[in-house]
Amino acid sequence: MHKRWLTYALPIALSFTSVFSASIPSHAADASAFTDTNRHWGAETISWAVQNGIVNGYEDGTFRPNAVVSEPEFLAMLLRAYPDNAVPAPESGTPWYEPYYSYAAARHWPLLQNTDRNSYNRGHVARLIAATQQQALNLNDSIRYLLDKGLSRGKTSATVEGYKAADRLSRAEAVQFIRNLKQNVSALRPAPVTSTEASDVPSASQAAVSVKGVAIGDSADAVVQKLGQPARKDAGEYGFQWYIYNRDYTDYAQIGVSGGKVVALYSPSANWQTDRGIADGSGKAEVEKQYGRPVSYIMKGNTRFMINYGKGEYGTYEIAGAYVTFFYDIHRGSMVTGLQVIEKSTEQALAAFYPDGSDALARAFELQSFDLANAARAKLGLQPFVWDDKAAETARKHSQDMGAKGYFDHDDPSGRSPFDRMKQDGIAYRAAAENIAAGQASAIFAHHGWMNSEGHRKNLLSDIKRLGVGVSFGGQMHIYYTQNFYTP
């Protein structure tokens, strides 16, 4: 018996946000008179920190050990713990923390330069502490450094995951980090100056977001030097070129390049990081804890582009001059399963929701749809599909027909099913299936929409062997996607 599956997808869209608030230093109190630390796990360390002039309590007699710490507050504690680091008093009319930032910047320590206490987390602490020991490391390597050197035991376990990089930093945790450091190292040292830092361009390990060690603003030459030549260069929906790295589907990435610079990033794999500890597999709640809730629209000129999140399948945020989209897998507890970054001016330059259609862009979307299907399969331990030209041509004709005749269905107006069309085109199969979608602005959004739909997901993760994809621009829904699967 031939197996046949039919499934549909509806359009999806975008979103953005940022969070900021001010921070203040704590007030003095007698270390022996705190009313809220007697039974706290950090009581002894808190007393040690107060006695050594590292931190004070509050005027109401509390220490508030669970209160969240901002970056300048932690930096000030750190430098007070090593009094040989002479930090001058702030000049009249300047913020209290300015001398601390100036001192740290002169030593090339990685900093957010953000006083919002809700923006600072344990991951930032790991990178800062590693840098003070002359270690210019990315987030995960910084955490490993702290664990290996006995500077942290993690939060739930002594592992990168158990360290809980995305969690905000409490006052008790802050002084514990500093006490661990004091017990193990005698001095704070300047971080090494990399060639990238020397040119005043943030390194990928310092960037808000990076993919395979590449960040927005990097040169195209640096990308090729780091990652090698791409497997191909695709047309991009924003007018740039996507450098496609697909030789290993477990490490898939797309790097958008325009004018010799990186203006976009995309990955569905575990090869990216953010400076707030969000990574592949993080929960949606962790993302919203770090970045807040996505906004409902983006302004382009005088036009407000409203955003439809569907079932909460993704969220886009304005972060460090770029729009960063986290894609979620609602079938796996809404964990992060992909990330796209578009440089802000590049997004603003696309003064429409849909790109101008072209044959080159349609072919790019077809190949990317195939690659993303295989990246999703690789992530779950499945063998990749084999590209099939016959299936692609059948799929392409159906996408063109839907746009030209104004319908969205597996059966065309003459009543032919996908299986009729495959047979008519000379495809003999033991099992076959079809996915269709319309209205998604790119193959990336179409793919994640399919993966969050039970029927589409079944086809993408099935044991069928071959896949062809056809994309067409035009019609009421602007872009039509068809995937035809079959096993000979």
Side-chain angles (χ1 to χ4, degrees):
M1 178 180 294
H2 298 314
K3 292 186 284 186
R4 304 175 176 183
W5 296 297
L6 303 177
T7 48
Y8 295 80
L10 297 177
I12 55 175
L14 304 173
S15 67
F16 335 91
T17 195
S18 59
V19 181
F20 185 82
S21 65
S23 64
I24 57 172
S26 58
H27 299 285
D30 185 348
S32 64
F34 296 135
T35 60
D36 56 354
T37 62
N38 288 340
R39 297 185 178 181
H40 193 275
W41 64 263
E44 182 184 350
T45 295
I46 290 168
S47 180
W48 169 85
V50 173
Q51 291 168 9
N52 283 277
I54 294 169
V55 66
N56 295 317
Y58 289 85
E59 291 175 343
D60 63 359
T62 64
F63 183 81
R64 305 177 196 175
N66 298 322
V68 176
V69 174
S70 67
E71 179 178 70
E73 289 170 342
F74 181 74
L75 183 59
M77 293 181 202
L78 179 64
L79 289 171
R80 290 179 196 138
Y82 290 85
D84 289 344
N85 299 278
V87 179
E91 295 182 6
S92 177
T94 63
W96 66 267
Y97 48 78
E98 187 172 289
Y100 296 102
Y101 269 134
S102 297
Y103 187 93
R107 283 148 186 80
H108 312 289
W109 295 343
L111 298 169
L112 288 177
Q113 296 282 349
N114 188 339
T115 61
D116 175 16
R117 55 174 37 88
N118 290 317
S119 296
Y120 202 56
N121 62 32
R122 291 169 55 88
H124 298 125
V125 171
R127 293 197 60 242
L128 174 58
I129 290 177
T132 69
Q133 301 308 302
Q134 300 185 306
Q135 304 294 315
L137 303 174
N138 62 29
L139 174 63
N140 286 348
D141 287 344
S142 295
I143 294 170
R144 291 188 187 97
Y145 177 82
L146 264 61
L147 297 174
D148 291 345
K149 296 296 182 180
L151 303 177
S152 173
R153 292 185 295 178
K155 192 166 184 177
T156 60
S157 66
T159 64
V160 171
E161 182 179 7
Y163 178 86
K164 298 297 180 183
D167 286 3
R168 295 189 180 105
L169 179 71
S170 73
R171 281 166 59 83
E173 289 173 331
V175 295
Q176 187 65 60
F177 272 118
I178 291 169
R179 191 179 192 187
N180 293 347
L181 194 62
K182 285 287 289 182
Q183 290 173 340
N184 285 276
V185 302
S186 59
L188 305 179
R189 306 180 187 282
V193 181
T194 67
S195 58
T196 309
E197 291 170 327
S199 63
D200 294 328
V201 178
S203 67
S205 63
Q206 293 177 314
V209 185
S210 63
V211 172
K212 288 175 70 73
V214 174
I216 297 295
D218 287 354
S219 70
D221 289 342
V223 172
V224 173
Q225 184 176 6
K226 183 184 291 284
L227 304 182
Q229 290 292 340
R232 65 175 189 271
K233 296 179 181 180
D234 285 355
E237 60 271 29
Y238 291 89
F240 54 65
Q241 277 192 320
W242 279 117
Y243 285 22
I244 306 297
Y245 290 90
N246 67 355
R247 292 182 178 90
D248 179 357
Y249 279 124
T250 66
D251 193 31
Y252 182 87
Q254 297 181 198
I255 311 296
V257 174
S258 179
K261 296 288 186 181
V262 174
V263 297
L265 305 164
Y266 170 73
S267 171
S269 306
N271 56 12
W272 57 271
Q273 65 180 37
T274 78
D275 64 353
R276 297 193 185 182
I278 302 300
D280 187 75
S282 294
K284 181 179 180 180
E286 293 178 71
V287 175
E288 294 189 344
K289 179 180 178 182
Q290 290 300 314
Y291 297 106
R293 296 187 62 81
V295 300
S296 58
Y297 63 88
I298 177 174
M299 292 296 297
K300 296 185 180 184
N302 295 323
T303 304
R304 178 179 291 185
F305 287 75
M306 303 305 295
I307 296 150
N308 174 13
Y309 292 107
K311 299 176 183 178
E313 299 160 17
Y314 65 97
T316 304
Y317 297 82
E318 187 177 342
I319 301 169
Y323 293 118
V324 180
T325 300
F326 298 98
F327 294 95
Y328 306 115
D329 187 339
I330 64 174
H331 295 280
R332 300 178 70 201
S334 291
M335 66 169 56
V336 179
T337 191
L339 169 133
Q340 176 179 273
V341 186
I342 305 294
E343 188 264 337
K344 187 173 181 178
S345 64
T346 300
E347 178 66 55
Q348 292 286 343
L350 181 63
F353 181 76
Y354 295 101
D356 292 333
S358 68
D359 287 343
L361 189 55
R363 300 299 84 77
F365 283 176
E366 290 171 357
L367 294 174
Q368 288 166 28
S369 180
F370 175 79
D371 283 337
L372 295 181
N374 280 339
R377 291 174 68 83
K379 200 171 195 175
L380 298 174
L382 302 174
Q383 291 298 308
F385 289 119
V386 174
W387 175 267
D388 192 275
D389 284 329
K390 284 187 177 181
E393 183 58 28
T394 301
R396 192 174 299 126
K397 288 189 293 186
H398 187 55
S399 290
Q400 292 168 348
D401 196 55
M402 287 191 290
K405 296 179 180 176
Y407 70 95
F408 180 65
D409 203 324
H410 291 286
D411 291 345
D412 63 28
S414 68
R416 292 184 308 164
S417 72
F419 315 109
D420 296 329
R421 294 190 294 270
M422 289 185 201
K423 289 179 179 178
Q424 184 173 326
D425 288 343
I427 297 174
Y429 60 84
R430 289 187 291 110
E434 178 175 276
N435 285 346
I436 59 174
Q440 289 83 353
S442 73
I444 291 170
F445 279 89
H447 167 75
H448 286 284
W450 276 330
M451 284 297 290
N452 277 313
S453 169
E454 185 174 356
H456 296 89
R457 185 185 185 92
K458 176 183 176 183
N459 290 343
L460 285 162
L461 302 181
S462 73
D463 58 1
I464 293 182
K465 303 302 182 184
R466 298 189 180 187
L467 169 61
V469 186
V471 174
S472 181
F473 288 90
Q476 183 179 1
M477 302 294 284
H478 303 282
I479 309 177
Y480 293 82
Y481 305 82
T482 302
Q483 291 181 323
N484 282 156
F485 309 80
Y486 79 97
T487 298

